[in-house]
Amino acid sequence: MPDITMIETDRLQLRPFMETDLDALANILARPDVMEYLYEEPRTRSEVAAALEQQMAMNHLTHQGDNLMLAIQERASGQMIGSANLIWRSQQHQQGEIGYTLHPDFQGHGYASEAARAILRFGFHDMGLHRICGVCDERNSRSRRLMERIGMQQEALLRQVEWVKGQWVSHTIYAILRSEWESNQA
């Protein structure tokens, strides 16, 4: 797969991260409400700067295991409002995994669904994947509802599967097959 320059939707641009995203990304990742269901605690600006360096290099899917990290930018304002990613889980079995994070001020407007649908389209249409899954903390009802809205089906609940932030956490796994995605596009 070539490096990704831009995925566009009606209201969004999904693009590789840039150094100029530091302030917006730090504003997102410093928030306890954003980090509540993620592995890390709210991050400091220096921690975000280090993470941004890594994310800027994640602009391709060349090998199984690669993680494509894209900034979600609102087209009208040019503001970076979150991130979306696609992990190439298996080349042989044509599997991927989707993820997303959105600043709370931009939640409830369909931006996360629009970005996630664009990532699914890229995974199925451009990469030829057969199946894309999503995994979230079972308590994260917003993420579960989003995956259902974009056509994913719950496949599993892994009870108390990981020790995170001092407690056992259960994960819900959702997935969609390319044939289901194609049917939804018709």
Side-chain angles (χ1 to χ4, degrees):
M1 290 294 308
D3 287 357
I4 306 305
T5 55
M6 181 90 62
I7 298 173
E8 295 190 283
T9 69
D10 289 341
R11 302 178 299 160
L12 303 172
Q13 294 175 323
L14 282 65
R15 55 158 177 81
F17 276 92
M18 304 179 296
E19 289 179 10
T20 55
D21 293 324
L22 179 58
D23 289 337
L25 189 60
N27 187 26
I28 294 169
L29 299 181
R31 295 180 61 112
D33 54 346
V34 170
M35 303 304 286
E36 180 178 7
Y37 300 117
L38 301 178
Y39 290 110
E40 301 89 9
E41 295 291 344
R43 293 184 174 184
T44 66
R45 184 178 177 80
S46 61
E47 290 170 333
V48 173
L52 179 59
E53 288 295 320
Q54 294 175 333
Q55 290 176 334
M56 288 185 340
M58 296 177 176
N59 63 353
H60 59 275
L61 291 168
T62 307
H63 305 287
Q64 175 178 302
D66 284 349
N67 185 1
L68 175 66
M69 288 292 301
L70 299 173
I72 301 172
Q73 181 173 302
E74 189 181 40
R75 287 178 74 163
S77 69
Q79 184 173 358
M80 197 281 279
I81 62 172
S83 65
N85 71 301
L86 179 64
I87 304 169
W88 192 2
R89 288 287 179 205
S90 172
Q91 182 174 0
Q92 177 183 1
H93 303 293
Q94 302 169 0
Q95 306 282 315
E97 180 179 334
I98 192 173
Y100 38 82
T101 303
L102 198 66
H103 190 289
D105 290 351
F106 294 90
Q107 293 176 0
H109 303 285
Y111 289 131
S113 298
E114 190 171 326
R117 284 186 181 100
I119 293 290
L120 290 179
R121 183 178 65 244
F122 176 79
F124 289 130
H125 183 265
D126 297 312
M127 289 190 64
L129 295 178
H130 169 70
R131 178 180 179 276
I132 298 175
C133 72
V135 180
C136 71
D137 185 311
E138 189 268 334
R139 300 167 297 167
N140 191 344
S141 59
R142 292 184 79 120
S143 187
R144 288 187 289 113
R145 284 193 310 267
L146 185 145
M147 287 189 271
E148 291 167 2
R149 266 194 313 277
I150 64 173
M152 300 177 96
Q153 297 178 32
Q154 183 178 338
E155 292 186 335
L157 171 63
L158 305 178
R159 298 177 312 133
Q160 298 185 4
V161 68
E162 290 183 329
W163 182 257
V164 179
K165 299 178 184 175
Q167 63 183 326
W168 287 107
V169 174
S170 300
H171 288 172
T172 306
I173 300 173
Y174 284 80
I176 186 170
L177 304 176
R178 180 174 44 218
S179 60
E180 296 166 336
W181 176 78
E182 288 171 346
S183 292
N184 290 343
Q185 303 311 300

